[in-house]
């Protein structure tokens, strides 16, 4: 009976780690897509595109590191808690805790990224870039398809 329970626990934990790693890979894969979209809309030259690519790559790596720290912290907190202390947190509680943890990091990393990018952009490009920032998720760097469609109309 113990072996069956142990096997089930290990299967669920390995699946959850696989999902988390896939999320990191998605963030990394979204960087070139996002930079190409920005380059196309801002009409960036090769030097500007290289700076934007480096800034977003650093930003993505910083986001991934802070997210992995959060996951380690949550796993340690979960191991410390017992059933008598607190019930298992739901997905909503996890998302709220993740959002609270990530918000200050995202703000700090965004300021750093924007400072680097604004140094190479010209006047109209800066204004367009500030508008285009609203079209992607700051954590996953995924373009928001519904907002893009509304702008094209």
């Amino acid at each position: 009976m113990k072996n069956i329970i142990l096997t089930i626990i290990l299967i669920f934990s390995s699946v959850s780690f696989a999902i988390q790693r896939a999320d990191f890979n998605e963030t990394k894969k979204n960087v070139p897509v996002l930079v190409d979209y920005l380059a196309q809309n801002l009409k960036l030259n090769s030097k500007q595109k290289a700076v934007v690519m480096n800034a977003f790559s650093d930003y993505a790596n910083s986001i991934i590191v802070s997210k992995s720290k959060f996951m380690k912290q949550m796993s340690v907190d979960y191991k410390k808690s017992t059933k008598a202390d607190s019930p298992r947190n739901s997905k909503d509680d996890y998302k709220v805790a993740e959002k609270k943890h990530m918000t200050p990091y995202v703000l700090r990393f965004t300021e750093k990224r924007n400072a680097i990018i604004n140094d190479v952009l010209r006047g109209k490009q800066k204004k367009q870039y500030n508008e285009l920032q609203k079209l992607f998720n700051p954590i996953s760097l995924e373009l928001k398809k519904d907002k893009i469609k509304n702008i094209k109309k």
Side-chain angles (χ1 to χ4, degrees):
M1 185 67 174
K2 290 180 183 179
N3 290 338
I4 294 172
I5 293 172
L6 180 63
T7 304
I8 291 172
I9 290 172
L10 289 175
I11 288 173
F12 284 122
S13 65
S14 65
V15 169
S16 68
F17 285 127
I19 291 171
Q20 292 167 356
R21 295 294 176 215
D23 185 34
F24 291 159
N25 289 336
E26 286 299 316
T27 303
K28 287 181 181 179
K29 289 179 184 177
N30 288 336
V31 170
V33 174
L34 179 63
V35 171
D36 287 339
Y37 180 77
L38 291 173
Q40 181 182 18
N41 287 308
L42 297 175
K43 299 175 183 164
L44 301 176
N45 61 29
S46 60
K47 180 184 173 189
Q48 289 174 324
K49 187 175 178 179
V51 170
V52 170
M53 178 66 89
N54 288 337
F56 271 99
S57 296
D58 291 342
Y59 176 80
N61 287 335
S62 300
I63 292 291
I64 289 170
V65 167
S66 62
K67 216 173 193 184
S68 64
K69 285 181 182 179
F70 169 73
M71 286 186 215
K72 286 179 186 177
Q73 178 185 359
M74 287 301 287
S75 66
V76 169
D77 290 346
Y78 180 73
K79 287 177 184 176
K80 286 182 181 178
S81 68
T82 63
K83 289 185 179 181
D85 292 339
S86 65
R88 187 173 182 183
N89 292 336
S90 67
K91 284 186 178 181
D92 293 336
D93 292 341
Y94 179 81
K95 287 181 182 181
V96 169
E98 180 183 21
K99 196 168 190 175
K100 284 183 180 179
H101 173 81
M102 291 298 292
T103 300
Y105 290 108
V106 169
L107 291 173
R108 186 176 46 179
F109 299 149
T110 302
E111 287 177 9
K112 181 180 173 186
R113 178 197 72 205
N114 288 344
I116 293 169
I117 292 173
N118 282 330
D119 286 343
V120 297
L121 296 179
R122 296 185 299 271
K124 287 184 179 180
Q125 288 178 326
K126 287 180 184 180
K127 291 178 185 175
Q128 287 178 330
Y129 174 70
N130 289 334
E131 291 298 318
L132 291 173
Q133 283 186 46
K134 300 172 187 170
L135 300 180
F136 60 88
N137 184 327
I139 295 177
S140 68
L141 297 177
E142 187 173 31
L143 288 170
K144 298 176 182 174
K145 306 275 186 206
D146 56 338
K147 289 190 177 184
I148 293 171
K149 289 178 184 176
N150 292 338
I151 288 176
K152 289 182 180 179
K153 289 182 180 177

